[in-house]
Amino acid sequence: MDSSRSKIVIDEIEEDIPLQQVVEVSSNNNVRLTERQLREVEAQSEKLGFSRREKRKRSPFVIQKNIKIRVGMDELLSELGKAVGAKSDQETFDIAIARLVERVGSARLSGMLEDIIKDS
């Protein structure tokens, strides 16, 4: 393979540019939008289907637990979710854990589950 590539030169300047100089120039360009401009941007964004994050309810499913499952279990989890009317695999998993806790009948596990549900 030929390794004789031409050097990329920008503006024929070969001197180093201090980082502080770049930061100063970019920070001086920060112009705050007026309230009217912000409302216009929000209105246009909503027309395009973007919504403000503050309006969305935060999901209680914030911990990721990576587990290996048997071949076919993913499809079974989806089918179970449809059967019980769950909106996601996470909700199906929650329902399954709740039913297991009920089946075991442990007051300690029931208390732990209640605390988790109450806090989220």
Side-chain angles (χ1 to χ4, degrees):
M1 179 182 274
D2 190 293
S3 64
S4 59
R5 293 185 175 172
S6 60
K7 186 175 178 182
I8 297 175
V9 179
I10 300 173
D11 294 334
E12 301 292 328
I13 298 174
E14 299 232 2
E15 66 187 56
D16 291 337
I17 300 173
L19 182 59
Q20 186 62 34
Q21 182 182 353
V22 173
V23 170
E24 288 172 1
V25 169
S26 64
S27 64
N28 290 339
N29 293 335
N30 291 339
V31 178
R32 301 288 296 167
L33 297 176
T34 65
E35 285 298 318
R36 181 173 178 248
Q37 289 172 323
L38 283 172
R39 286 193 304 271
E40 288 175 6
V41 168
E42 287 177 6
Q44 290 297 321
S45 298
E46 285 181 11
K47 283 182 186 176
L48 295 173
F50 295 98
S51 62
R52 292 186 62 98
R53 291 185 184 263
E54 294 131 17
K55 293 180 183 177
R56 289 193 271 172
K57 180 184 173 199
R58 183 170 177 175
S59 171
F61 307 108
V62 294
I63 303 295
Q64 182 170 340
K65 178 77 174 169
N66 294 324
I67 59 172
K68 291 187 180 214
I69 58 176
R70 296 176 191 205
V71 174
M73 285 293 208
D74 190 37
E75 292 81 9
L76 179 59
L77 183 63
S78 294
E79 290 300 317
L80 281 168
K82 289 177 189 173
V84 297
K87 297 176 187 148
S88 65
D89 286 349
Q90 293 94 336
E91 191 176 338
T92 306
F93 188 74
D94 263 14
I95 293 168
I97 294 293
R99 297 303 171 262
L100 279 171
V101 168
E102 285 176 13
R103 185 172 181 193
V104 170
S106 166
R108 183 180 67 82
L109 294 176
S110 293
M112 287 175 67
L113 181 62
E114 287 174 15
D115 290 344
I116 292 168
I117 292 171
K118 178 181 62 176
D119 291 340
S120 60

